């Protein structure tokens, strides 16, 4: 399998091919944005699954109370809606949680890279050299 030059698949790039911090920050920001959009889609699916489960449950109750005329097909569809809604709700909630954890991880990596960029800026290097020069001059 060929080596990949990004970290989206969990692999580090080969030695000597470390991306520039600014490029890595831009990639992390794109990753955060994509995963945040996926979380929003999950929230919509969660809402739809809750509506399906609640609608199926309400229909079953109305069937049992006799408000809706008894019909085997409606009962089966209602049970399927409840079960399907609950399965999709659980699955999508888990996926949204995993995506949220991935976003937090990417944000932490972005913050670390951002601090690294600030520490390696020419102004910081110059002030560090000046402080080092003053320190050696005092000795």
């Amino acid at each position: 399998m060929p080596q990949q030059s990004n970290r989206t698949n969990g692999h580090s790039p080969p030695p000597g091919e470390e991306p520039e911090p600014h490029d890595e920050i831009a990639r992390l920001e794109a990753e955060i944005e994509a995963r945040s959009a996926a979380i929003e889609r999950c929230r919509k699916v969660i809402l739809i699954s809750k509506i399906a489960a609640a609608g199926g449950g309400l229909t079953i109750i109305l069937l049992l109370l006799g408000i809706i005329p008894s019909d085997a097909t409606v009962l089966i569809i209602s049970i399927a809606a409840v079960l399907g809604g609950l399965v999709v709700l659980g699955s999508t909630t888990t996926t949204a949680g995993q995506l949220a954890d991935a976003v937090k991880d990417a944000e932490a990596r972005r913050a670390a890279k951002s601090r690294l960029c600030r520490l390696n800026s020419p102004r910081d290097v110059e002030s560090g050299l000046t402080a080092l020069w003053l320190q050696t001059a005092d000795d």
Side-chain angles (χ1 to χ4, degrees), residues 28-98:
L28 286 169
E29 287 175 351
E31 179 182 330
I32 291 167
E33 189 174 316
R35 290 187 177 177
S36 295
I39 290 171
E40 286 304 313
R41 288 190 303 272
C42 284
R43 287 188 181 133
K44 292 175 185 175
V45 171
I46 288 169
L47 177 63
I48 291 169
S49 65
K50 286 179 180 180
I51 292 170
L58 180 62
T59 304
I60 291 171
I61 291 171
L62 294 176
L63 281 169
L64 292 174
L65 293 176
I67 298 173
I68 296 177
S70 294
D71 185 7
T73 305
V74 174
L75 180 61
I76 292 171
I77 291 172
S78 299
I79 292 171
V82 170
L83 294 176
L86 292 176
V87 168
V88 171
L89 174 66
S91 173
T92 309
T93 301
T94 301
T95 301
Q98 291 170 345

Side-chain angles (χ1 to χ4, degrees), residues 104-125:
K104 288 178 188 174
D105 180 52
E107 286 173 342
R109 287 184 287 148
R110 179 185 63 185
K113 289 284 183 183
S114 184
R115 281 191 299 273
L116 179 66
C117 283
R118 275 187 261 126
L119 289 176
N120 290 334
S121 72
R123 185 185 64 205
D124 290 338
V125 171

